[in-house]
Amino acid sequence: MTVYKTSAQVIHQIEEQLDEDEKEVILFLCRDLAPDLVTKLDLRDLLCTLNEKGKLTAAGLAELLYRVRRFDLLKKIMKTDRASVESHLVKCSQLVSDYRVLMTQLSEDMDKSEVTSFSFLLRDYMGGGKTHKNKSFLDVVIDLEKVNLLAPDKLDLLEKCLKNIHRIDLKKKIQKYKQSALGTNYMNGIQAPLPSVGLKNSGYELGLKNGISKEERPIFGQHGISKPVKTSIQESEKSLPQVASEEYRLKSQPLGLCLIIDCIGNDADPLKDTFISLGFEVQCSKYLETKDIHDTLHQVSCLSRHQNYDIFVCILISRSDSENILGTDHQPCSGLPLHQIRKFFTGDACPLLLGKPKLFFIQNYVVPEDHKKSSSLLEVDGKMSYNGWRPRSSTGALLHQEADIFWSLCKVNVSVLEKSPGSQSYYLRCLSQLLHQPEERRCSLLNLHIDLNNRIYDWNSRVAPEEQYSIMSEHTLRKSLFLSHR
């Protein structure tokens, strides 16, 4: 990447596109560059001042956008891309210190209640008169730095407070930093994998890695880099496939059809609002029997208007056994095999969606075998052999029939419905929340699903085993996918 100063016009364009949270993060990242100026100037003026003093090159500005995951601005304004920034960071020194990056990671991983608890614990060290009410985690970090209670080589108090609010995962992240960042070979965000709680790995070569813990959360999770660089271990060449840097086209109006089949009845309405806000046409069906689920999927796969859309989404919520969707049938039936759901929309079955992304989010409430036998719920006539879906290579000249599919399957014991009959799926509620957040919409689908995994991991660490969710995800996406207009 060429190193040169950038114009005030470019800085102004970037500042206009950033939200307040992103500005706060960048100001924090720049504190070491101009400690006497960072509290006196707004972001635009600070960046211009740093630029004039020769402390902010175009490469440095690109790095700041990389740190807040604004890959769209890298492309639109800086005329570069994520891969180029990562390549530059491999070859050249970085603008932002590892310590500052670590603090922003911790900030992203803490919710408001945890920041409040963290701030309260500091009363023992900063005096009862010092209030941190309504301050962000980064604001509290700055206050600690001012009184010399926190610094790149002074992290014991931070570790202690994180332990007291039961964020051992974040404490371990600091320990990793202390072990390696203060040495010579530190790389941001690289963490040793920890055992997951109730999250399962798909085991397929092109599958998205599941079961990641908070320690494994990427800074800017995305695929396609040639070697690990200032990023998480999930992004390394060994753990994830190479994905083309180009993006799927999502320009149609509406973007596509979102089919929601809710056989439980608790999730359809909030999901409908979410996908309408994203620009989808939404079709909802509730309380379908197995045959009606089959017929609905077939009918939707045959719709001619798919030719005018750029994407398809299917969300299905139902009771199930380990292999089949059971619907609302009151008579014993074998159910609809899970692998059959996506087969309605492969390239040969639905040619109008060939080459377009097809997303499936499945929430299964698993009925134990003994529960089925002793109740009026469905019984399976016999174990159907699971035709395990194996993603195939799409490197040939012809598009594969199973290309461009993203599959997210979440299972939880049906007993959670018996305890709270009207409750939403935690998995789908988190998905909806993430899709409502502007910063998540700017992330790729794969990265959003990593954040979803993190939330499920946190949930599973707090609840009884029978309430834990299990996620399995697979994909054959050939490009990056962003569920927002870019």
Side-chain angles (χ1 to χ4, degrees), residues 259-392:
L259 172 65
I260 302 173
I261 300 177
D262 187 356
C263 299
I264 305 300
N266 299 335
D267 292 283
D269 293 337
L271 287 169
K272 179 179 180 180
D273 294 340
T274 296
F275 280 88
I276 287 176
S277 73
L278 286 169
F280 283 82
E281 173 194 343
V282 179
Q283 176 179 324
C284 283
S285 299
K286 293 184 179 182
Y287 310 114
L288 299 186
E289 293 188 353
T290 303
K291 182 180 183 302
D292 296 326
I293 295 175
H294 179 283
D295 292 345
T296 299
L297 291 170
H298 176 68
Q299 291 166 9
V300 169
S301 70
C302 295
L303 292 175
S304 61
R305 59 183 182 273
H306 285 307
Q307 65 183 324
N308 302 318
Y309 295 160
D310 291 334
I311 187 173
F312 171 72
V313 175
C314 176
I315 304 174
L316 203 160
I317 309 112
S318 181
R319 289 177 174 83
S320 72
D321 59 23
S322 60
E323 301 167 347
N324 308 285
I325 294 292
L326 302 179
T328 60
D329 305 61
H330 294 291
Q331 299 298 322
C333 73
S334 59
L336 177 67
L338 282 168
H339 67 87
Q340 183 62 44
I341 296 170
R342 54 182 166 243
K343 285 191 174 181
F344 285 104
F345 301 95
T346 55
D348 51 351
C350 184
L352 295 181
L353 287 175
L354 185 64
K356 301 175 182 179
K358 297 162 277 285
L359 318 182
F360 299 86
F361 299 94
I362 314 296
Q363 174 63 78
N364 282 357
Y365 292 93
V366 180
V367 180
E369 291 295 323
D370 57 346
H371 190 165
K372 289 187 293 180
K373 293 176 183 177
S374 61
S375 72
S376 60
L377 293 174
L378 293 178
E379 296 183 12
V380 180
D381 292 335
K383 288 288 183 182
M384 295 189 67
S385 114
Y386 179 55
N387 242 345
W389 177 60
R390 295 293 188 272
R392 306 177 189 176

Side-chain angles (χ1 to χ4, degrees), residues 4 163 279 284 318 388 477:
Y4 57 87
K163 179 180 179 181
C284 283
S318 181
L477 298 178

Side-chain angles (χ1 to χ4, degrees), residues 18 35 62 66 76 84 89 92 126 151 238 270 297 316 320 392 398 400 402 407 414 426 431 434 443 465:
L18 297 172
Y66 175 90
K76 182 169 64 175
S84 298
L89 291 174
C92 309
M126 302 185 69
K238 294 181 180 179
L297 291 170
L316 203 160
S320 72
R392 306 177 189 176
L398 297 177
H400 221 288
E402 292 182 347
W407 176 266
V414 72
Y426 184 73
L431 174 65
L434 289 170
C443 293

Side-chain angles (χ1 to χ4, degrees), residues 39 43 136 189 195 288 308 324 333 374 396 428 461 478:
T39 58
L43 179 61
S136 70
L288 299 186
N308 302 318
N324 308 285
C333 73
S374 61
L428 292 174
S461 67
R478 299 172 296 112

Side-chain angles (χ1 to χ4, degrees), residues 193-201 210-213 216 457 460 468:
L194 296 181
S196 63
V197 182
L199 297 179
K200 297 181 179 179
N201 203 344
N210 296 295
I212 60 173
S213 68
E216 296 176 286
Y457 174 86
N460 288 348
Q468 293 178 0

